Amino acid sequence: MKTERLYAITVYLLNHGRTSASELAKHFEVSLRTIQRDIDSLCLAGIPVIAVAGAAGGYEISDRFELDKEYATADDYSRILIALQGLASVTSDPKVKYTAEKIARVSKPEDQGIVLDFSVLREGESAVLQQLQNAVALKHMVEFFYTNNNYETRIHRVEPIAVLYRWYAWYLLAYSKVKKDYRTYKLVRMRALKITDQPFEKGHESASEILEKMDRTDSRSYTRILIKCAEPAKVRIIEYLKGTIVQEFPDGGALIQAMVVENEQFWLGTLLSLVDKAEIIEPEEIRCRVLDAAEKIVSLYTNYDI
């Protein structure tokens, strides 16, 4: 176990550069003292770990050090193959399939006991996904009509950085010249997508670095809601709204707490679909919002003339 951790620390430092002892302890879920002992062990083994003092200090590995290119084990290749097969199931990129075939020659995926099948994520968006991947590779701007959360539709011209799957949907990460900032655009809300002949006008950091900065400055407004629900609705609230049970009732029902994004519609639709099996206890403004939506639905069907 210690040998694996020492190797993992070496790889982590090579990939992330200077890292504090507390960050390493948190990442590897060990004590600071254990990290210090591990660093001593690495130094004794000939790994050139440098300790830098000060507020911006930490541990780093000398730039002159290179890890053996044959460091991956059969199990490592097996995990890589599983991930590649998952990626191949969601994209039509032949390069991914070719890479998976090469890795398959040196791995045994059945040993891991896991299969990643994301083929359902291709439904309805595979063509747009492929177009955006091509635009990212070409480093050309794209143009499309986009409908936002307020149902406003406008033309957008952006520099595409990467396509990503998060929050149960596909998004485009791109740089907006109008906003002079990075934005994410939901693929399902795009139409009339076109790759332009105009190349990028500026350089960009990697997608992971951009997303990390965006996550740290997330400006979305979250609201805590408390839901009283009957037993049939309990699993759906936990699954779809990531709710946490606060109190369970003798009849199988529960009091559940969840955090929702105010200007998103998914959670509202989920609650309305539960009909009389779930009631928002607080806050009052969310109760009123659900009541208003329900009244509009009743009015629509009451006034419906067959």
Side-chain angles (χ1 to χ4, degrees):
M1 181 65 182
K2 179 179 178 181
T3 302
E4 292 180 0
R5 189 174 65 248
L6 291 176
Y7 182 75
I9 290 173
T10 303
V11 173
Y12 188 89
L13 290 176
L14 285 170
N15 288 337
H16 294 83
R18 187 181 302 173
T19 308
S20 69
S22 58
E23 288 178 280
L24 289 172
K26 181 180 180 180
H27 180 79
F28 291 99
E29 299 180 342
V30 295
S31 67
L32 280 172
R33 181 57 186 153
T34 297
I35 289 296
Q36 290 165 352
R37 286 198 296 264
D38 287 347
I39 295 298
D40 290 340
S41 297
L42 288 174
C43 291
L44 289 173
I47 306 297
V49 181
I50 302 169
V52 180
Y59 296 112
E60 61 186 37
I61 293 179
S62 171
D63 293 338
R64 293 172 304 203
F65 178 78
E66 289 188 8
L67 201 60
D68 187 348
K69 301 298 182 184
E70 303 298 328
Y71 63 88
T73 66
D75 276 348
D76 292 332
Y77 281 120
S78 180
R79 297 185 188 100
I80 291 170
L81 178 59
I82 290 169
L84 283 170
Q85 289 172 333
L87 180 59
S89 72
V90 76
T91 178
S92 56
D93 188 347
K95 294 180 181 179
V96 175
K97 295 179 181 178
Y98 178 59
T99 304
E101 288 176 1
K102 290 195 293 184
I103 296 295
R105 294 180 59 85
V106 292
S107 66
K108 298 178 181 179
E110 66 275 10
D111 293 345
Q112 297 297 327
I114 184 172
V115 174
L116 302 179
D117 184 354
F118 302 127
S119 55
V120 68
L121 303 182
R122 299 176 65 172
E123 296 179 3
E125 295 172 8
S126 58
V128 174
L129 189 65
Q130 187 61 57
Q131 269 188 285
L132 289 172
Q133 285 181 289
N134 292 339
V136 170
L138 290 170
K139 294 189 182 300
H140 276 204
M141 295 185 69
V142 294
E143 181 179 292
F144 51 87
F145 284 91
Y146 190 77
T147 304
N148 62 23
N149 285 335
N150 297 320
Y151 307 106
E152 301 164 337
T153 300
R154 298 190 181 94
I155 294 179
H156 291 255
R157 286 176 62 90
V158 300
E159 297 183 359
I161 309 300
V163 287
L164 58 139
Y165 186 82
R166 59 179 359 191
W167 305 312
Y168 310 105
W170 281 105
Y171 289 82
L172 168 68
L173 172 65
Y175 178 77
S176 169
K177 292 177 61 179
V178 174
K179 299 293 185 181
K180 299 191 186 311
D181 200 2
Y182 296 96
R183 294 286 190 271
T184 53
Y185 302 86
K186 211 171 197 176
L187 265 59
V188 73
R189 296 179 181 173
M190 293 181 182
R191 61 184 177 87
L193 173 67
K194 182 175 67 176
I195 301 176
T196 73
D197 294 329
Q198 185 175 348
F200 288 6
E201 294 182 358
K202 62 172 292 183
H204 303 284
E205 295 179 303
S206 68
S208 58
E209 291 174 317
I210 295 170
L211 287 170
E212 185 178 347
K213 291 178 181 177
M214 290 177 68
D215 289 341
R216 286 201 301 264
T217 58
D218 188 354
S219 60
R220 294 181 299 172
S221 298
Y222 291 85
T223 297
R224 183 188 72 88
I225 61 175
L226 198 60
I227 309 163
K228 182 181 179 182
C229 66
E231 186 174 14
K234 188 163 58 177
V235 172
R236 291 182 65 183
I237 293 174
I238 293 172
E239 178 181 359
Y240 295 118
L241 302 186
K242 304 300 179 186
T244 303
I245 294 177
V246 176
Q247 180 183 353
E248 299 216 49
F249 303 128
D251 62 358
L255 198 61
I256 299 180
Q257 175 180 286
M259 297 295 292
V260 299
V261 181
E262 289 183 7
N263 64 342
E264 288 287 350
Q265 303 297 320
F266 176 79
W267 60 268
L268 179 59
T270 299
L271 290 173
L272 289 171
S273 73
L274 297 174
V275 196
D276 62 343
K277 300 296 188 294
E279 177 191 0
I280 293 180
I281 303 302
E282 58 181 51
E284 185 62 28
E285 58 266 26
I286 299 296
R287 281 178 61 90
C288 293
R289 182 173 172 182
V290 174
L291 177 60
D292 181 60
E295 287 176 341
K296 287 178 180 177
I297 293 172
V298 170
S299 175
L300 175 66
Y301 285 92
T302 302
N303 297 327
Y304 186 72
D305 186 12
I306 298 177

